[in-house]
Amino acid sequence: MNPSRARPKSLGGLDAEAAAALVAVSADITLVIGADGIIEDMSLGSEEAEGTGLQRLRGKAWVDTVTPESRGKVEALLRDAGSTSATGWRQVNHPSEGGPDVPVLYSAIRVGRDGRIVAVGRDLRAIAALQQRLLDAQQSMERDYSRLRHVETRYRLLFQMTAEPVLILDASSQRVMEANPAALQLFGGEASRVVGHVFPIPGTFEAEGNPSLEALLSGVRASGRGESVHLRLATTSQAFNASAILFRQDSGALLLLRLAPVGSMSTSTTISDARWQLLKAAELSPDAFVVIGPDGRVLTANMAFLDLAQLATEEQARGEALDRWLGRPGVDLSVLMANLRQHGAVRLFPTTVRGEFGSTAEVEISAVRVLNGEQPCFGFTIRNVGRRLGADAPRAARQLPRSVEQLTELIGRVSLKDLVRETTDVIERLCIEAALELTGDNRASAAEMLGLSRQSLYVKLRRYGLVDAAADPED
């Protein structure tokens, strides 16, 4: 006897109401179907099923409540339902109101002498959701795997085709993990003589270069960067510039060692060396130099900028908004970024830099936008011009413009109200100077020409510093 088909005899005394309650609580959905295939009664065993429209199936033909591809399955359930055994489980889909179809797993059995059929169903939406998530995760993994495979292919092609010797070393043991064909040819032509050996391989380079190479590798392991060193092969005395970078893979650290032949006519080597010299010059420049990203945050800065901002290390600046030290917060940097995005470069923009400990410095900024793929960066050269302005002159006098052309330098640094006041002062001063020049410095005639009293003229002369205190008759 099949245990799965066994029916407990102890339940034989249940009445119809108790049996119906037992069926209702043991299934997510229970349908009572007449001999004509019409759903006469139904019950839902879960709250989740009530928001799908399944509660309105009563009075409809069961075959009409499912999707077209499920009609054959429903007809098979109605046909195969017996009075002594239930049908096998079949999944059918009910259309939902404004959402995806509702999958239900049904089994049916014929009860009573009038041909009624009871179909019990299990809501498969939770399982379908898990299957969809599993499918999405699998597709995402496939896409990631394909992308990594393409990246590895490009890396392999570049690694194999580069004309310069390149080695991958284990950072802790300095054993050679990989070597490109140029490196294998340089060190003997066979992988077994290079891969797996501790670098530098004994007898490869002249002895006086080995300490420099060890210092380079130690420095790169400690800080991630190091100065290139000069090496010579022990056999041919061919000279190389060795440089290295640190990168991580899985849980380990690796070193990429590049040996650039000295005196090679390779254009790529010449350009690389020129770029390195340019970057070194920017790093050691007496003018502050800082590079920011599209969000206005510092990517890198030279020592002159750290001194100007009163910072100890570059790490204190990296990731911070340049607006923290530059001019008026929210004004100067916005003006600079807008002009850089529109024109690509800005020259001699006047502003101030605030240090961490309260110092301020008058500066001029020249900036440029550098396209770097989809995310551009912006380079700022900041020159301290405080010495030009004269340390002995009062600050107010230095900020007062002496011509209309100089008013443009105040845009973005002072409010519109102050700018209008400064403009009025400039025009008034220019008119007084013109009147004095036309009258040969005759102040009485100048006052009459300007429509002022002599007393008002002297007040304005003193205000603009156009008269000495000794020459003022009212003092």
Side-chain angles (χ1 to χ4, degrees), residues 206-223:
E206 293 182 355
E208 57 268 19
N210 288 335
S212 300
L213 180 60
E214 291 289 351
L216 168 65
L217 298 178
S218 299
V220 172
R221 278 196 298 267
S223 62

Side-chain angles (χ1 to χ4, degrees), residues 130-258:
L130 289 175
Q131 291 175 338
Q132 185 62 44
R133 290 177 60 184
L134 178 61
L135 180 61
D136 292 342
Q138 185 177 6
Q139 291 178 342
S140 177
M141 289 177 62
E142 289 291 338
R143 287 193 298 269
D144 291 341
Y145 176 73
S146 177
R147 187 162 49 248
L148 289 174
R149 187 169 51 195
H150 289 313
V151 170
E152 183 179 5
T153 300
R154 290 194 294 269
Y155 155 74
R156 287 292 176 188
L157 286 174
L158 180 62
F159 187 72
Q160 296 293 328
M161 295 181 65
T162 181
E164 294 180 349
V166 178
L167 301 140
I168 305 297
L169 312 179
D170 180 80
S172 58
S173 64
Q174 290 186 199
R175 290 188 179 276
V176 178
M177 308 295 293
E178 294 184 63
N180 70 341
L184 294 179
Q185 183 178 2
L186 182 67
F187 298 126
E190 296 181 3
S192 59
R193 299 183 60 181
V194 181
V195 178
H197 292 268
V198 177
F199 195 83
I201 301 171
T204 301
F205 299 106
E206 293 182 355
E208 57 268 19
N210 288 335
S212 300
L213 180 60
E214 291 289 351
L216 168 65
L217 298 178
S218 299
V220 172
R221 278 196 298 267
S223 62
R225 65 180 67 180
E227 302 290 342
S228 61
V229 298
H230 193 72
L231 302 173
R232 287 186 179 275
L233 288 179
T235 54
T236 63
S237 297
Q238 184 180 359
F240 291 89
N241 281 328
S243 59
I245 60 173
L246 178 74
F247 66 97
R248 298 193 176 277
Q249 181 176 327
D250 297 330
S251 59
L254 301 175
L255 296 170
L256 187 148
L257 181 67
R258 168 176 168 259

Side-chain angles (χ1 to χ4, degrees), residues 28 48 102-103 122-133:
D28 294 322
E48 292 79 5
V102 180
R122 300 172 184 171
D123 189 351
L124 297 181
R125 284 180 299 166
I127 297 176
L130 289 175
Q131 291 175 338
Q132 185 62 44
R133 290 177 60 184

